[in-house]
Amino acid sequence: LAKTTQPISMDSYEGQEVNITCSHNNIATNDYITWYQQFPSQGPRFIIQGYKTKVTNEVASLFIPADRKSSTLSLPRVSLSDTAVYYCLVGERMGTNAGKSTFGDGTTLTVKP
Amino acid sequence: NAGVTQTPKFQVLKTGQSMTLQCAQDMNHNSMYWYRQDPGMGLRLIYYSASEGTTDKGEVPNGYNVSRLNKREFSLRLESAAPSQTSVYFCASSEGVRQLNIQYFGAGTRLSVL
């Protein structure tokens, strides 16, 4: 299983763009990169998933360089409600091994007014 | 739109007692998971079930047993609870083999073992 490394915490201000980078040096060919968001006292919620280059949805963008050894979650113009813990997972997209992704300790993002 | 439902929401046990945490999903998902989350930590996978009739160990299976009762339900049993099992337990499900393996989580069960 690919191990992931993220910063423990980050601070930002409302309206700024936030970039959270995740390192996954031993990512395998079949692995995808998935990001989740978790608010206090709730279960994690899916944000975005990608394999290479760039993926964008209505919430965030995910940038993955050609070597795929890292990825960056980009949150445009954050608000106070984006204060949460963000997890990067690396693992297979499908099949019997798909459930073996590990969450790690995540990055606690605090957005200040 | 219930999604993933966990019961109970809170539980206090004495050391040595047993209990079963229940999880049910109504999304017709193939795969289901049990995680624990200790204070200030990430989620650690206890067991998962890739499809009905199969279960597999995750990172921290010791002290737990699971049953995939049918496609909808996946239960987690603590046979003899220990204080080290005080944690928040999350159940999740995902479509499984054909899709993105995006996991949908329940609200959690907060367990204290005294």
Side-chain angles (χ1 to χ4, degrees):
Chain A
L1 297 174
K3 178 177 170 56
T4 60
T5 302
Q6 304 175 230
I8 294 173
S9 63
M10 295 180 69
D11 290 342
S12 183
Y13 291 92
E14 284 189 292
Q16 289 188 333
E17 178 184 72
V18 171
N19 296 310
I20 305 174
T21 297
C22 179
S23 296
H24 28 81
N25 290 322
N26 60 340
I27 189 169
T29 303
N30 292 335
D31 287 346
Y32 278 70
I33 300 151
T34 310
W35 285 80
Y36 288 82
Q37 174 191 56
Q38 185 180 27
F39 297 114
S41 301
Q42 296 185 24
R45 181 179 70 171
F46 170 80
I47 301 175
I48 197 166
Q49 184 180 80
Y51 184 81
K52 61 180 179 180
T53 61
K54 176 183 176 182
V55 179
T56 298
N57 62 23
E58 64 278 6
V59 176
S61 294
L62 179 60
F63 298 92
I64 306 168
D67 66 7
R68 304 202 324 124
K69 293 184 183 298
S70 67
S71 59
T72 299
L73 174 72
S74 181
L75 304 173
R77 296 180 298 280
V78 295
S79 64
L80 296 177
S81 63
D82 292 315
T83 293
V85 180
Y86 292 83
Y87 295 98
C88 161
L89 271 75
V90 172
E92 293 187 21
R93 186 183 190 189
M94 60 184 69
T96 55
N97 288 326
K100 292 186 176 179
S101 302
T102 56
F103 270 80
D105 291 334
T107 297
T108 299
L109 172 65
T110 302
V111 180
K112 302 175 181 178
Chain B
N1 295 335
V4 178
T5 302
Q6 293 183 233
T7 56
K9 289 184 169 52
F10 301 93
Q11 184 70 50
V12 178
L13 293 177
K14 294 181 180 179
T15 298
Q17 287 185 317
S18 62
M19 80 161 293
T20 300
L21 280 64
Q22 307 287 353
C23 176
Q25 52 91 9
D26 62 2
M27 296 174 282
N28 200 35
H29 283 171
N30 291 299
S31 301
M32 298 185 73
Y33 315 81
W34 276 106
Y35 293 90
R36 62 176 288 175
Q37 185 172 34
D38 298 333
M41 307 288 285
L43 283 77
R44 291 184 291 172
L45 183 65
I46 305 172
Y47 272 94
Y48 77 103
S49 171
S51 61
E52 185 179 357
T54 68
T55 60
D56 203 354
K57 295 179 180 179
E59 301 173 75
V60 289
N62 292 342
Y64 305 95
N65 287 301
V66 290
S67 295
R68 184 73 183 267
L69 304 171
N70 48 54
K71 191 171 185 179
R72 289 188 63 248
E73 299 172 289
F74 188 38
S75 63
L76 178 72
R77 183 160 179 84
L78 287 70
E79 290 291 349
S80 179
S84 61
Q85 294 178 304
T86 293
S87 190
V88 179
Y89 291 84
F90 288 103
C91 176
S93 71
S94 66
E95 198 284 336
V97 294
R98 293 183 293 109
Q99 295 295 328
L100 300 175
N101 191 36
I102 297 169
Q103 297 182 39
Y104 296 83
F105 285 79
T109 295
R110 283 147 186 81
L111 175 67
S112 292
V113 183
L114 306 178

